[in-house]
Amino acid sequence: MRDVRRSLMAVTGAIALVAATLAAPVTAGAGDTSVAGGDTEYLVLLEAGADRNQAIAAVKAAGGEVVKENANLGTLTVRAAASGFVSRVSASNAVEGAARSRPIGTVPQQKPRTVEAENGGTSKAAAGKKTVGMDPLDAQLWGLKMVRSDLARTVQPGKKSVKVGVLDSGIDARNPDIAPNFDWKLSRNFAPDIPEIDGVCEFRGCVDPVGWDDSGHGTHVAGTIGAAANGVGVSGVAPNVTLVEIRGGQDSGYLFLGPVTDALTYAGDVGLDVVNMSFYVDPWLYNCTANPADSPEAQAEQRTIIRAMNRALNYAHNHGVTLVGSLGNNHEDLGKPRTDISSPDFPANTAYPRVIDNATCVDLPVEGPHVIGVSALGPSTTKADYSNYGLEQIEVSAPGGWFRDYFGTPQHRTNENLILSTYPVNTLQVGGLVDAAGNITPAGVTAGAQKQCPAGVTDYTKCGYYYVLQGTSMASPHATGVAALIVSQFGKKSHGDFGMDPDKVGRVLMNTAQPRACPTPPLQTYINEGRSEEFNALCEGTRNFNGFYGHGIVDAYAAVTRH
């Protein structure tokens, strides 16, 4: 999801940390909780091999209250005062650092969706010809054809034993394209609603049940990965794999450190094969070790985020999880970053300019260890204007949609250039795109919303709803789907579990991608498309590997046949 801010729609009790929704190693109420705590939630990272009781005592002495523990990762979730806690608790020899994980008690705030919903409901219709699809709406999924999923499924449509984690805003499991592949038993929500930023709570304890998504982002991602080929709506890149919700995102669009690291640890513990990550960890677009623009406490916080995320990514990878991440929508070379003017993105109106040093600053998770970075392409295979790029961080490219593609043709600025996928009806209703009876409104038709019901179904909540978005968030799940097909085709049973070494999965994904050379000239400009010179992008590298396409465009058919 990266829009510089994600497109999670807002939909507010106190935070409920429900132990039943967490894996066994993540426990609630660890240690002495007699201290009152405060209005901010922190993630405290213990030193490797440190005495746990000493760390808990340090938290208490610093004015914090332990509310949860992730023993496998070596972290404590703590409530404490909004200021001063980080420096106080970090003085302990048992603590490596602390970082704000989630805010509590702030003014409601929703992230804007300036990239992913760029069409803004004002698209014109294109006169495109229809082709035969695998599901009724598949003819509109140019991304499936670009990655050759239509051919790949004749060889390998995916195995149910292959489990793909969607670390996002949730998944709407009511959708008939999601329901057949959704794993209710393994799915978890690690991000209870925060009323002050997410809005009024709809469920007891402010914990959305699994199979629910108030945002739409996670459901859209899940459909691209693995919507079922069942004669309804759309199908995904890997239509037979199992989808597992590991929710780490708030309804309001934020993904904070604690839920993200808990979700990654859980992915490793339960044996997920692939995890898609279309986001960056809030509140910093770039986490730096010692940026002179930041206060000492902000510097310490970012160092903790880097260490905690690295620990979580390594944990998941070492437990057999292939990690795929979006490069981001900030239209910049991640190896030559511009000044960051968006951080911190929470609380509101606290951002300030930060010159970013590439050697000491990272965009997480995509610049973390073992993450396969994916750039976004339009239907013409041109790098989308919004997509990040760069030789240092990119591995592959994939369809992400580009509303402004095909300049000078009738297809310019049309919904056909975007990525159509599954979407929750409740989110469409909040946006006025579907009415109370479940019908697409005129505004919904213009914005690209669609509806299909299975035969004989009259209850609209059991129908399939679909919507168009663009972004590297939409590119990453195409690559994730191909990775899931690779595991399905070449994975093996070991110690009773089916899977494949993530390094091997990555090698197949990259070695079978379709090489694509830089444009000529290599400086891609988007002036005709209405963009400023800031969007100009220089493609560096060779046909076999460059900053726009990486090793190439992911190719599902080659991945399951040529290896």
Coordinates of all heavy atoms in Angstrom, one line a residue, residues 370-422:
H370 N 15.8 -9.7 3.4 CA 15.1 -10.8 2.8 C 13.8 -10.4 2.1 O 13.0 -11.3 1.7 CB 14.8 -11.9 3.8 CG 15.9 -12.4 4.7 ND1 17.1 -12.9 4.1 CD2 16.2 -12.3 6.0 CE1 17.9 -13.2 5.1 NE2 17.4 -12.8 6.2
V371 N 13.5 -9.1 2.0 CA 12.3 -8.7 1.4 C 12.5 -8.5 -0.1 O 13.4 -7.8 -0.6 CB 11.8 -7.4 2.0 CG1 10.5 -7.0 1.3 CG2 11.5 -7.6 3.5
I372 N 11.6 -9.1 -0.9 CA 11.7 -9.0 -2.4 C 10.9 -7.7 -2.8 O 9.7 -7.6 -2.6 CB 11.1 -10.2 -3.1 CG1 11.9 -11.5 -2.7 CG2 11.0 -10.0 -4.6 CD1 11.2 -12.8 -3.1
G373 N 11.6 -6.7 -3.3 CA 11.0 -5.4 -3.6 C 10.4 -5.4 -5.0 O 11.1 -5.8 -6.0
V374 N 9.2 -4.8 -5.1 CA 8.5 -4.9 -6.4 C 8.1 -3.5 -6.8 O 7.4 -2.7 -6.0 CB 7.2 -5.7 -6.2 CG1 6.5 -5.9 -7.6 CG2 7.5 -7.1 -5.6
S375 N 8.4 -3.1 -8.0 CA 8.0 -1.8 -8.6 C 6.7 -2.0 -9.4 O 6.3 -3.2 -9.6 CB 9.0 -1.2 -9.5 OG 9.2 -2.0 -10.7
A376 N 6.0 -0.9 -9.7 CA 4.7 -1.0 -10.4 C 4.7 -0.5 -11.8 O 5.4 0.5 -12.2 CB 3.7 -0.2 -9.6
L377 N 4.0 -1.2 -12.7 CA 3.9 -0.9 -14.1 C 2.5 -0.7 -14.5 O 1.5 -1.2 -13.9 CB 4.5 -2.1 -14.9 CG 5.8 -2.7 -14.6 CD1 6.1 -3.9 -15.4 CD2 6.9 -1.6 -14.7
G378 N 2.3 0.2 -15.5 CA 1.0 0.3 -16.2 C 0.8 -0.8 -17.2 O 1.7 -1.6 -17.5
P379 N -0.4 -0.8 -17.8 CA -0.7 -1.8 -18.8 C 0.2 -1.8 -20.1 O 0.4 -2.8 -20.7 CB -2.2 -1.6 -19.2 CG -2.4 -0.2 -18.7 CD -1.5 0.1 -17.6
S380 N 0.8 -0.6 -20.3 CA 1.8 -0.6 -21.5 C 3.2 -1.1 -21.1 O 4.1 -1.1 -21.9 CB 1.9 0.9 -21.9 OG 2.6 1.7 -21.0
T381 N 3.4 -1.5 -19.9 CA 4.6 -2.0 -19.2 C 5.5 -0.8 -18.9 O 6.7 -1.0 -18.5 CB 5.4 -3.0 -20.0 OG1 5.9 -2.4 -21.2 CG2 4.5 -4.2 -20.4
T382 N 5.1 0.4 -19.1 CA 5.9 1.6 -18.6 C 5.8 1.7 -17.1 O 4.8 1.4 -16.5 CB 5.3 2.9 -19.2 OG1 5.2 2.8 -20.6 CG2 6.0 4.1 -18.8
K383 N 7.0 2.0 -16.5 CA 7.0 2.3 -15.0 C 6.0 3.3 -14.7 O 6.0 4.4 -15.3 CB 8.4 2.7 -14.5 CG 8.4 2.8 -13.0 CD 9.7 3.5 -12.5 CE 9.6 5.0 -12.6 NZ 8.6 5.6 -11.6
A384 N 5.1 3.0 -13.8 CA 4.1 4.0 -13.4 C 4.7 5.2 -12.8 O 5.8 5.1 -12.1 CB 3.1 3.4 -12.4
D385 N 4.2 6.4 -13.0 CA 4.8 7.6 -12.6 C 5.0 7.7 -11.1 O 6.0 8.2 -10.6 CB 4.1 8.9 -13.0 CG 2.6 8.9 -12.6 OD1 2.1 8.0 -11.9 OD2 1.9 9.8 -13.0
Y386 N 4.1 7.1 -10.3 CA 4.2 7.2 -8.8 C 5.2 6.2 -8.2 O 5.6 6.3 -7.1 CB 2.8 6.9 -8.2 CG 2.3 5.5 -8.6 CD1 2.7 4.3 -8.1 CD2 1.3 5.5 -9.7 CE1 2.2 3.1 -8.5 CE2 0.8 4.2 -10.1 CZ 1.3 3.1 -9.5 OH 0.8 1.9 -9.9
S387 N 5.6 5.2 -9.0 CA 6.3 4.0 -8.4 C 7.8 4.4 -8.0 O 8.5 5.0 -8.8 CB 6.3 2.9 -9.4 OG 7.1 1.8 -8.8
N388 N 8.2 4.0 -6.9 CA 9.6 4.0 -6.5 C 10.4 3.0 -7.4 O 9.8 2.1 -8.0 CB 9.8 3.7 -5.0 CG 9.3 4.8 -4.1 OD1 9.1 6.0 -4.6 ND2 9.2 4.5 -2.8
Y389 N 11.7 3.2 -7.4 CA 12.5 2.4 -8.2 C 13.9 2.4 -7.7 O 14.2 3.0 -6.6 CB 12.5 2.9 -9.7 CG 12.9 4.3 -9.8 CD1 14.2 4.7 -10.3 CD2 12.0 5.4 -9.5 CE1 14.5 6.0 -10.4 CE2 12.3 6.7 -9.7 CZ 13.6 7.0 -10.1 OH 14.0 8.4 -10.2
G390 N 14.9 1.9 -8.4 CA 16.3 2.0 -8.0 C 17.0 0.7 -7.9 O 16.5 -0.4 -7.5
L391 N 18.3 0.7 -8.4 CA 19.1 -0.5 -8.4 C 19.3 -1.2 -7.1 O 19.4 -2.4 -7.0 CB 20.5 -0.2 -9.0 CG 20.5 0.1 -10.5 CD1 21.9 0.7 -10.9 CD2 20.2 -1.1 -11.4
E392 N 19.4 -0.4 -6.0 CA 19.7 -1.0 -4.7 C 18.6 -1.8 -4.1 O 18.8 -2.8 -3.5 CB 20.1 0.1 -3.7 CG 21.4 0.8 -4.0 CD 21.7 1.8 -2.8 OE1 21.1 1.7 -1.8 OE2 22.6 2.6 -3.0
Q393 N 17.3 -1.4 -4.4 CA 16.2 -2.1 -3.6 C 15.4 -3.0 -4.5 O 14.7 -3.8 -3.9 CB 15.4 -1.0 -3.0 CG 16.0 -0.3 -1.8 CD 17.1 0.7 -2.3 OE1 17.1 1.2 -3.4 NE2 18.1 1.0 -1.4
I394 N 15.3 -2.8 -5.8 CA 14.4 -3.5 -6.6 C 14.8 -4.9 -6.9 O 16.0 -5.2 -7.0 CB 14.1 -2.8 -7.9 CG1 12.9 -3.4 -8.7 CG2 15.4 -2.8 -8.8 CD1 12.5 -2.5 -9.9
E395 N 13.9 -5.9 -6.9 CA 14.2 -7.2 -7.4 C 13.4 -7.5 -8.7 O 13.9 -8.0 -9.6 CB 13.8 -8.3 -6.3 CG 14.9 -8.6 -5.3 CD 15.1 -7.5 -4.3 OE1 14.2 -6.9 -3.8 OE2 16.3 -7.2 -4.0
V396 N 12.1 -7.2 -8.7 CA 11.3 -7.5 -9.8 C 10.2 -6.4 -10.0 O 10.1 -5.5 -9.1 CB 10.5 -8.9 -9.7 CG1 11.5 -10.0 -9.8 CG2 9.7 -8.9 -8.4
S397 N 9.5 -6.4 -11.1 CA 8.4 -5.5 -11.4 C 7.2 -6.3 -11.7 O 7.2 -7.5 -12.0 CB 8.8 -4.6 -12.6 OG 9.1 -5.4 -13.7
A398 N 6.0 -5.6 -11.6 CA 4.7 -6.3 -11.8 C 3.6 -5.3 -12.0 O 3.8 -4.1 -11.8 CB 4.4 -7.1 -10.5
P399 N 2.5 -5.7 -12.5 CA 1.4 -4.8 -12.8 C 0.9 -4.1 -11.6 O 0.5 -4.8 -10.6 CB 0.3 -5.7 -13.4 CG 1.0 -6.9 -13.9 CD 2.2 -7.1 -12.9
G400 N 0.8 -2.8 -11.5 CA 0.3 -2.0 -10.4 C -0.8 -1.1 -10.8 O -1.5 -0.5 -9.9
G401 N -1.0 -0.9 -12.1 CA -2.0 0.1 -12.6 C -1.4 1.4 -12.8 O -0.5 1.8 -12.0
W402 N -1.8 2.1 -13.8 CA -1.4 3.5 -14.0 C -2.5 4.3 -14.7 O -2.7 4.1 -15.9 CB -0.1 3.6 -14.7 CG 0.5 5.0 -14.9 CD1 0.2 6.1 -14.1 CD2 1.3 5.5 -15.9 NE1 0.9 7.2 -14.5 CE2 1.6 6.8 -15.7 CE3 1.9 4.9 -17.0 CZ2 2.4 7.6 -16.5 CZ3 2.7 5.6 -17.9 CH2 2.9 7.0 -17.6
F403 N -3.3 5.1 -14.0 CA -4.4 5.8 -14.6 C -4.0 6.6 -15.8 O -4.8 6.8 -16.7 CB -5.0 6.6 -13.4 CG -6.3 7.3 -13.8 CD1 -7.4 6.6 -14.2 CD2 -6.4 8.7 -13.7 CE1 -8.6 7.3 -14.5 CE2 -7.6 9.4 -14.0 CZ -8.7 8.6 -14.4
R404 N -2.8 7.2 -15.8 CA -2.4 8.1 -16.8 C -1.7 7.4 -18.0 O -1.1 8.1 -18.8 CB -1.5 9.2 -16.2 CG -2.2 10.0 -15.1 CD -1.3 11.1 -14.6 NE -1.9 11.7 -13.4 CZ -1.8 13.0 -13.0 NH1 -1.1 13.8 -13.8 NH2 -2.3 13.4 -11.9
D405 N -1.7 6.1 -18.0 CA -1.0 5.4 -19.1 C -1.7 5.7 -20.4 O -2.8 6.2 -20.5 CB -1.0 3.9 -18.8 CG 0.1 3.2 -19.4 OD1 0.9 3.8 -20.3 OD2 0.3 2.0 -19.1
Y406 N -1.0 5.4 -21.5 CA -1.5 5.5 -22.9 C -1.8 7.0 -23.2 O -2.9 7.2 -23.8 CB -2.7 4.6 -23.1 CG -2.3 3.2 -23.1 CD1 -2.9 2.3 -22.1 CD2 -1.5 2.6 -24.0 CE1 -2.7 1.0 -22.1 CE2 -1.2 1.2 -23.9 CZ -1.8 0.4 -23.0 OH -1.5 -0.9 -23.0
F407 N -0.9 7.9 -22.8 CA -1.2 9.3 -23.2 C -1.4 9.4 -24.7 O -0.7 8.8 -25.5 CB 0.0 10.2 -22.7 CG -0.1 11.6 -23.2 CD1 -0.9 12.5 -22.5 CD2 0.6 12.1 -24.3 CE1 -1.0 13.8 -22.9 CE2 0.5 13.4 -24.7 CZ -0.3 14.3 -24.0
G408 N -2.3 10.3 -25.1 CA -2.6 10.5 -26.5 C -3.5 9.5 -27.1 O -3.8 9.6 -28.3
T409 N -4.1 8.6 -26.4 CA -5.0 7.6 -26.9 C -6.3 7.7 -26.1 O -6.3 8.2 -25.0 CB -4.4 6.2 -26.8 OG1 -4.5 5.7 -25.4 CG2 -3.0 6.1 -27.3
P410 N -7.4 7.0 -26.6 CA -8.6 7.0 -25.8 C -8.5 6.3 -24.5 O -9.4 6.5 -23.6 CB -9.6 6.3 -26.7 CG -9.0 6.5 -28.1 CD -7.6 6.5 -27.9
Q411 N -7.5 5.5 -24.3 CA -7.4 4.8 -23.0 C -6.7 5.6 -21.9 O -6.7 5.2 -20.7 CB -6.6 3.5 -23.2 CG -6.9 2.5 -22.1 CD -6.4 1.1 -22.4 OE1 -6.3 0.7 -23.6 NE2 -6.0 0.3 -21.4
H412 N -6.2 6.8 -22.2 CA -5.6 7.6 -21.2 C -6.6 8.1 -20.2 O -7.7 8.4 -20.5 CB -5.0 8.9 -21.9 CG -4.4 9.9 -21.0 ND1 -3.3 9.6 -20.2 CD2 -4.6 11.2 -20.9 CE1 -3.0 10.7 -19.5 NE2 -3.8 11.7 -19.9
R413 N -6.2 8.0 -18.9 CA -7.0 8.3 -17.8 C -8.3 7.6 -17.8 O -9.4 8.2 -17.7 CB -7.3 9.9 -17.8 CG -6.0 10.7 -17.7 CD -6.3 12.2 -17.6 NE -6.9 12.5 -16.3 CZ -6.1 12.9 -15.2 NH1 -4.8 13.0 -15.3 NH2 -6.7 13.1 -14.1
T414 N -8.3 6.3 -17.9 CA -9.5 5.4 -17.8 C -9.3 4.4 -16.7 O -8.1 4.0 -16.4 CB -9.7 4.7 -19.1 OG1 -8.6 3.8 -19.4 CG2 -9.9 5.7 -20.2
N415 N -10.4 3.9 -16.2 CA -10.4 2.8 -15.2 C -9.8 1.5 -15.7 O -9.3 0.7 -14.9 CB -11.8 2.5 -14.6 CG -12.3 3.7 -13.8 OD1 -11.5 4.4 -13.2 ND2 -13.6 3.8 -13.7
E416 N -9.8 1.3 -17.0 CA -9.2 0.1 -17.6 C -7.7 0.0 -17.3 O -7.1 -1.1 -17.4 CB -9.5 0.1 -19.1 CG -10.9 -0.3 -19.4 CD -11.9 0.8 -19.3 OE1 -11.5 2.0 -19.0 OE2 -13.1 0.6 -19.4
N417 N -7.1 1.1 -17.0 CA -5.6 1.1 -16.7 C -5.3 0.7 -15.3 O -4.1 0.6 -14.9 CB -5.0 2.5 -17.0 CG -5.1 2.9 -18.4 OD1 -5.2 2.1 -19.3 ND2 -5.0 4.2 -18.7
L418 N -6.3 0.6 -14.5 CA -6.2 0.3 -13.1 C -6.3 -1.2 -12.8 O -6.5 -2.0 -13.7 CB -7.2 1.1 -12.2 CG -7.2 2.6 -12.5 CD1 -8.3 3.2 -11.6 CD2 -5.9 3.2 -12.2
I419 N -6.1 -1.6 -11.6 CA -6.2 -3.0 -11.2 C -7.5 -3.3 -10.5 O -7.9 -2.7 -9.5 CB -5.0 -3.4 -10.2 CG1 -3.7 -3.1 -10.8 CG2 -5.2 -4.9 -9.8 CD1 -3.4 -3.9 -12.1
L420 N -8.3 -4.2 -11.1 CA -9.6 -4.6 -10.6 C -9.4 -5.8 -9.7 O -8.8 -6.7 -10.0 CB -10.6 -4.9 -11.7 CG -12.0 -5.4 -11.3 CD1 -12.8 -4.2 -10.7 CD2 -12.7 -6.0 -12.5
S421 N -10.0 -5.7 -8.5 CA -9.9 -6.9 -7.6 C -11.1 -6.8 -6.6 O -11.9 -5.9 -6.6 CB -8.6 -6.9 -6.8 OG -8.4 -8.0 -6.1
T422 N -11.1 -7.8 -5.7 CA -12.2 -7.9 -4.7 C -12.2 -6.7 -3.8 O -11.1 -6.2 -3.5 CB -12.0 -9.2 -3.9 OG1 -10.6 -9.3 -3.5 CG2 -12.3 -10.4 -4.8

